[in-house]
Amino acid sequence: MTATGEELVQARGGPWWWARRRSAVLDVGLAVVSAVECGLEGIPFARDAGIPVAAGVVFGVLAGSVLVVRRKWPIAVVLVTIAVTPAQMGFLMGVVGLYTLAASELPRRIIASLAGMSVVGTWIVTFVRLRQDVARGDLSIGDWFVWFASIAAALGVTAPPVLLGLYVGARRRLMESLRERADSLERELQLLAERAEERAEWARNEERTRIAREMHDVVAHRVSLMVVHAAALQAVARKDPEKAVKNAALVGDMGRQALTELREMLGVLRTGTDAGGQRRERVSVPPLAAVGVAAAAAASRAVDGEEGAAEGPCLSDLEELVGQSAAAGMVVDLSVEGESRSYAPVVESTAYRVVQEALTNVHKHAAGAKTYVRLAHRVSEIAMQVENEPPPVAASSAGLPSGGNGLVGMKERVSALGGVFVSGPTEAGGFRVSAVIPAS
């Protein structure tokens, strides 16, 4: 794998201004070679200038040593190179200095200006030297060759390192840009992975909540009725055997319905088979739609276990639901307002579940209380209300447990369809559950 920009920054550990140790070693090596070259070239310079040879050597060594700071101050290196050009020394320093200058991130106008100064300085020195040689008779060439040779020497010494430096600098900047883009892409991918994990966790939580709500809605009501009938059976077993037999039959019917519902839902969770019998691809998380359809179908099956399954609980089943509660000893009054019509399956299923859970809560917390179930068909919505009076003081409790999730589940169902759900105690001491669901 390639190293990213952050890894390269962390890997830097060179001294002073160098990013890496090998860069420092390279620059020091070049400076030593340049100092030796300029020191040797200082000998003829000292003789021509009429100064001590030692002074010329020291001057050359100091000038050549400037190459050690080429990465930090490339302009200074090029200016020193231009300054010592008349002394005919610093060839390596000039080439390396111009390359470093062109490869740096300095403005192009500065690079062009210094490169032009170097070309002009090299051309003047070369032209003057060739003219002097021609005047002394060391060279027998024409004036045209002096011009050609001086221009060629100036361009040959300056152009190649400048062009190479420009290419290397552009390539370096391109690589840095690619590294930055790779770093940014890596951070984005990491962020996307974190968000995907968060969404997956949220989806798993939502899935668990919806499955729990479906199982609670389709099972809790029937189990509650079973407990109520069992309590009534215990109370009348000796006094009224005929009624005890009737209650026992009702308990058996409710138990078979509850088992059918549980078997249907657990089958979906275990095998991933939808309500239509078509097998789904096995996945780690059970499909929510299959659970909902299966739960609704199970809740609407007949007591005798008939093969055909309905699409889900609907408003036409409310009379049967109220009748089951009445059979358990509850006094229930059902009233319907408006013209009855069909709604979307999810709307009818949600309305049915609200009434079902409200009646279950009455069995749990207000046994023996008279209950009013009102259903209103309106133009663009359907409204339902379940209200119970205060339970009689002498009423016996069946001891039904409560998990505290019934009202929460009803509110979640209604809110998911854009409806309004309100619940709370009444002034008379009873309890009221109201919900309004859009018709479409």
Side-chain angles (χ1 to χ4, degrees), residues 399-418:
L400 293 172
S402 177
N405 297 317
L407 295 176
V408 175
M410 285 190 284
K411 185 175 182 180
E412 290 176 350
R413 284 180 176 274
V414 174
S415 299
L417 299 180

Side-chain angles (χ1 to χ4, degrees), residues 216 220 224 357 360-365 399-407:
H216 176 274
S224 300
E357 180 59 28
T360 302
N361 288 339
V362 175
H363 283 293
K364 291 180 180 180
H365 308 291
L400 293 172
S402 177
N405 297 317
L407 295 176

Side-chain angles (χ1 to χ4, degrees), residues 3 71 103 115 134 171 197 199 210 217 253 298:
R71 296 179 190 268
V134 170
R171 184 175 179 274
E197 181 63 26
R199 288 195 297 268
R210 291 187 59 179
D217 289 345
D253 292 341

Side-chain angles (χ1 to χ4, degrees), residues 189-232:
L189 290 177
Q190 184 177 1
L191 181 60
L192 288 176
E194 293 176 355
R195 291 181 177 177
E197 181 63 26
E198 292 177 357
R199 288 195 297 268
E201 182 64 26
W202 176 84
R204 286 192 291 268
N205 294 333
E206 286 292 313
E207 200 140 4
R208 285 192 292 266
T209 302
R210 291 187 59 179
I211 292 173
R213 185 167 61 241
E214 291 290 345
M215 296 187 69
H216 176 274
D217 289 345
V218 300
V219 177
H221 179 72
R222 303 195 188 280
V223 174
S224 300
L225 292 179
M226 289 172 59
V227 175
V228 173
H229 282 296

Side-chain angles (χ1 to χ4, degrees), residues 296-429:
S300 62
R301 289 177 181 266
V303 177
D304 58 355
E306 62 181 359
E307 296 298 330
E311 295 182 356
C314 54
L315 295 177
S316 60
D317 299 329
L318 281 181
E319 293 185 2
E320 180 182 356
L321 180 66
V322 171
Q324 293 175 354
S325 296
M330 178 188 296
V331 179
V332 189
D333 180 24
L334 174 62
S335 62
V336 180
E337 300 177 3
E339 183 179 357
S340 178
R341 63 182 187 275
S342 60
Y343 301 91
V346 65
V347 174
E348 295 204 10
S349 175
T350 301
Y352 181 91
R353 295 300 186 200
V354 170
V355 177
Q356 182 186 55
E357 180 59 28
L359 293 176
T360 302
N361 288 339
V362 175
H363 283 293
K364 291 180 180 180
H365 308 291
K370 186 175 182 179
T371 306
Y372 302 92
V373 179
R374 299 182 180 89
L375 183 67
H377 299 277
R378 299 172 183 172
V379 177
S380 59
E381 62 187 16
I382 178 173
M384 67 234 47
Q385 178 178 291
V386 179
E387 180 180 351
N388 63 275
E389 297 178 353
V393 178
S396 61
S397 175
L400 293 172
S402 177
N405 297 317
L407 295 176
V408 175
M410 285 190 284
K411 185 175 182 180
E412 290 176 350
R413 284 180 176 274
V414 174
S415 299
L417 299 180
V420 178
F421 178 84
V422 179
S423 63
T426 62
E427 296 180 357

Side-chain angles (χ1 to χ4, degrees), residues 101-167:
L101 177 69
S104 65
E105 298 182 356
L106 292 172
R108 292 296 178 86
R109 61 179 183 274
I110 297 179
I111 297 174
S113 300
L114 293 176
M117 293 172 60
S118 178
V119 169
V120 173
T122 304
W123 175 78
I124 291 175
V125 172
T126 304
F127 181 82
V128 171
R129 289 292 181 178
L130 291 177
R131 293 287 294 181
Q132 290 177 354
D133 293 340
V134 170
R136 288 195 303 264
D138 296 338
L139 294 174
S140 56
I141 56 177
D143 291 340
W144 68 271
F145 186 79
V146 174
W147 284 90
F148 174 77
S150 59
I151 294 175
L155 294 177
V157 172
T158 306
V162 171
L163 295 177
L164 180 61
L166 292 174
Y167 167 75

